[in-house]
Amino acid sequence: MQSLSSAKENRLFVYEVVGLSQNDKTDNLDYSIRKSGSVFLTVPYSGMNQEMRRITRLGARIVSIKPLNAAAAE
């Protein structure tokens, strides 16, 4: 049986992000980015704050955050 804290750490969330565009900072990523449309990123619970800051630095906006199992059900 997992403890409550380790169960939180294993949870995944899906961020829907708009406004990402290819620039000097995003050139280092292993995938290209289009400005049009949404980008969906899967983020572990433990990395949520770091990912939010990174998205903001890249000039994008988070439209929604959903648990991975809820996003799959839609």
Side-chain angles (χ1 to χ4, degrees):
M1 185 169 148
Q2 289 184 341
S3 70
L4 183 58
S5 63
S6 67
K8 283 183 183 177
E9 294 299 316
N10 292 330
R11 293 189 322 191
L12 295 174
F13 294 84
V14 176
Y15 286 22
E16 181 179 0
V17 179
V18 295
L20 279 177
S21 60
Q22 200 71 39
N23 60 34
D24 292 340
K25 292 180 182 178
T26 58
D27 281 342
N28 296 331
L29 302 174
D30 14 335
Y31 51 89
S32 60
I33 296 178
R34 295 183 314 145
K35 187 167 180 107
S36 62
S38 296
V39 175
F40 295 89
L41 305 170
T42 303
V43 181
Y45 177 82
S46 61
M48 290 180 74
N49 285 331
Q50 180 180 358
E51 189 66 17
M52 285 183 203
R53 287 191 297 263
R54 186 183 75 84
I55 290 166
T56 302
R57 277 195 312 270
L58 294 174
R61 185 170 51 95
I62 298 171
V63 179
S64 70
I65 300 173
K66 297 179 183 177
L68 181 61
N69 58 354
E74 292 180 1

